């Protein structure tokens, strides 16, 4: 059973494309997770500052 070389090239291209799609998807999810964590930390810091400001204003006022 002889398979033409172009069929093997096409199948190889599909396999490589699938591998790259999975790899890129993982990298994007990791970057997105890191961005979400960073934004969450910034938000929590802002909440802490507001809480401290409210506490200070209550103790002085």
């Amino acid at each position: 059973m002889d398979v033409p070389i172009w069929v093997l090239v096409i199948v190889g291209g599909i396999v490589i494309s699938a591998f790259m799609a999975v790899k890129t998807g993982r990298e994007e999810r990791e970057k997105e997770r890191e961005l979400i964590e960073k934004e969450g930390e910034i938000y929590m810091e802002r909440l802490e500052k507001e809480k401290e400001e409210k506490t200070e204003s209550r103790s002085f006022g």
Side-chain angles (χ1 to χ4, degrees):
M1 192 161 122
D2 290 332
V3 179
I5 190 77
W6 64 270
V7 173
L8 297 176
V9 170
I10 298 285
V11 171
I14 291 170
V15 169
I16 291 172
S17 178
F19 173 76
M20 293 303 290
V22 170
K23 180 181 173 188
T24 303
R26 284 183 185 159
E27 290 172 355
E28 286 180 359
R29 281 192 301 274
E30 180 65 24
K31 286 180 183 178
E32 185 176 321
R33 186 188 61 78
E34 289 174 2
L35 178 64
I36 290 170
E37 283 183 13
K38 186 175 181 179
E39 288 177 353
E41 289 173 6
I42 292 170
Y43 180 72
M44 292 304 291
E45 288 174 6
R46 191 172 69 214
L47 286 178
E48 286 295 322
K49 286 180 183 178
E50 289 178 8
K51 184 178 178 182
E52 289 174 7
E53 289 174 3
K54 286 182 181 180
T55 305
E56 289 175 3
S57 67
R58 287 183 184 168
S59 63
F60 290 124

